[in-house]
Amino acid sequence: MTDPVRVTLEGRDESTSVRVYDDEGDVSTDDATFRFSVDGGNGGSSSDETDATDGADETDEIAPGRSAAASDDPRRIAPLAAVPTNGTLRCEARAGNRGIELILRRTGDEVSAWRNSCPHRPTVRLDPGSGAIVRDDHLVCHEHGARFECDDGVCTAGPCRGATLDSVAVTARDETVYLLDDRFESCHRLDGPVA
């Protein structure tokens, strides 16, 4: 598969949305699993393909939009100065053939990261591509106005009041932002220059 496909699966109590970079695999929630195979009609797999559910391949390719130099540390996301204080920076964290879109926001030298998804309607991105709305130190969902505190991601107003954004562990050191979250192997920017 040349381009990633966004797959969203909604269960009774949970919803998940991931980017898939492989021709086959599965996506699961609490009560449902979606399995897929896009084989172009050839009816099988070659012996050198890896199982889409077995995690990372030892020969991970360079992520789209990144140079080999930027890929020296796959957990390096961006320079600290590139993360806005009055908006967000979109990036993607990957685990094997799956990617999760994230948003980063900076306060001084501290950076917070969350899944780019509103808990009320997980298919709605808080940052649709031009930066999330930030008002009075709250991220604001552009679709229905839910407001999330920028420090802990708790919704203080809107249809998902009391819910929290799914946080992702990152750190800033030496003027650079790095992914810490063990659920993911790498992370790269989705907008702008290579980190």
Side-chain angles (χ1 to χ4, degrees):
M1 179 179 303
T2 306
D3 296 321
V5 175
R6 177 176 292 282
V7 177
T8 301
L9 182 62
E10 294 185 18
R12 187 174 35 250
D13 298 322
E14 180 186 10
S15 176
T16 189
S17 182
V18 298
R19 285 183 178 203
V20 178
Y21 288 83
D22 203 0
D23 292 338
E24 61 184 57
D26 61 72
V27 178
S28 298
T29 64
D30 56 349
D31 62 348
T33 299
F34 172 70
R35 289 185 178 82
F36 62 93
S37 176
V38 183
D39 63 9
N42 66 10
S45 344
S46 66
S47 61
D48 62 344
E49 288 181 340
T50 59
D51 182 0
T53 61
D54 70 354
D57 182 85
E58 291 181 359
T59 58
D60 283 340
E61 61 190 47
I62 295 171
R66 291 181 65 115
S67 68
S71 295
D72 287 345
D73 184 348
R75 292 180 161 271
R76 181 177 184 263
I77 302 171
L80 180 61
V83 180
T85 57
N86 60 347
T88 54
L89 177 71
R90 290 174 52 238
C91 57
E92 181 182 55
R94 291 196 52 190
N97 292 323
R98 299 205 177 137
I100 303 289
E101 194 170 305
L102 309 176
I103 54 175
L104 305 177
R105 180 169 186 275
R106 180 169 53 98
T107 304
D109 290 338
E110 299 294 317
V111 177
S112 298
W114 303 277
R115 177 178 259 191
N116 189 13
S117 176
C118 180
H120 173 242
R121 191 167 291 148
T123 57
V124 173
R125 294 178 177 132
L126 295 171
D127 179 344
S130 57
I133 300 167
V134 178
R135 287 196 192 117
D136 301 323
D137 217 21
H138 285 80
L139 292 168
V140 180
C141 178
H142 66 92
E143 186 165 301
H144 50 76
R147 297 171 59 89
F148 303 91
E149 293 190 11
C150 287
D151 57 353
D152 59 9
V154 172
C155 182
T156 59
C160 50
R161 185 180 190 123
T164 59
L165 297 175
D166 182 16
S167 65
V168 175
V170 297
T171 190
R173 68 175 185 269
D174 301 325
E175 299 297 315
T176 303
V177 181
Y178 293 90
L179 175 70
L180 289 179
D181 201 306
D182 290 334
R183 296 177 291 177
F184 308 105
E185 300 154 359
S186 64
C187 194
H188 68 275
R189 290 174 66 165
L190 290 176
D191 55 346
V194 172

